[in-house]
Amino acid sequence: MFGLLEPNVPAFVYRTFYPRGWTERQRADIAQFLDVEGERAKVAVDGDVIIGWIGIRLHLQDRMGEIYILAVDPDRQRQGIANFLMKAAHAAMRSAGMVIVMVETGNDPGHAPSRAAYEAQGFERWPVARYFKPI
């Protein structure tokens, strides 16, 4: 289970971040975001059906907006929904005085659609080295 997201990350890192599994951690993180920052979520709907949503954070000191989460129904991907949501997020960030936007995502195959969506929007990848070791 721990090697599914990013095979180059040591298992001890996954066990630390996801002691009960990635899915449970993701659900908890989303629930906390919605509880605390839910007013910064934008939702795409088709009739009464939610087909995608985006959650943003504002880092006022840096004048930087962050796309914290972007999710599109897998059956509705590659239909412009992510593009629509990111444009709505950018507009909200600009109106809040932000001048740049940042997003982080995984480098694993499962996040390839996310990376493609961000790059299509003109995001430039910033190489970061992050190191871990058990203590």
Side-chain angles (χ1 to χ4, degrees):
M1 165 187 267
F2 293 114
L4 291 177
L5 295 178
E6 177 61 76
N8 296 323
V9 174
F12 72 89
V13 174
Y14 277 107
R15 284 192 302 270
T16 301
F17 287 132
Y18 313 112
R20 294 187 202 118
W22 180 85
T23 302
E24 187 171 321
R25 170 68 185 265
Q26 183 74 2
R27 285 184 181 139
D29 288 349
I30 290 169
Q32 181 179 359
F33 175 84
L34 291 172
D35 286 346
V36 176
E37 303 173 83
E39 73 280 357
R40 292 202 183 105
K42 307 287 183 193
V43 180
V45 296
D46 185 1
D48 293 336
V49 178
I50 295 173
I51 56 175
W53 73 283
I54 193 166
I56 64 172
R57 288 186 166 149
L58 303 177
H59 302 275
L60 301 177
Q61 182 176 358
D62 299 322
R63 298 179 58 206
M64 178 180 74
E66 175 186 356
I67 295 175
Y68 177 70
I69 188 163
L70 172 62
V72 175
D73 180 333
D75 292 334
R76 301 297 301 267
Q77 290 178 354
R78 302 197 52 78
Q79 296 178 16
I81 297 162
N83 183 43
F84 170 79
L85 289 166
M86 283 191 281
K87 285 182 178 181
H90 295 165
M93 290 175 194
R94 275 192 301 276
S95 71
M98 303 301 103
V99 296
I100 62 171
V101 60
M102 182 269 298
V103 64
E104 291 184 31
T105 191
N107 195 40
D108 58 289
H111 285 93
S114 298
R115 290 191 308 273
Y118 301 137
E119 290 168 11
Q121 281 283 312
F123 281 84
E124 295 182 33
R125 191 172 185 158
W126 182 25
V128 174
R130 186 174 282 177
Y131 296 91
F132 296 94
K133 77 174 219 162
I135 54 172

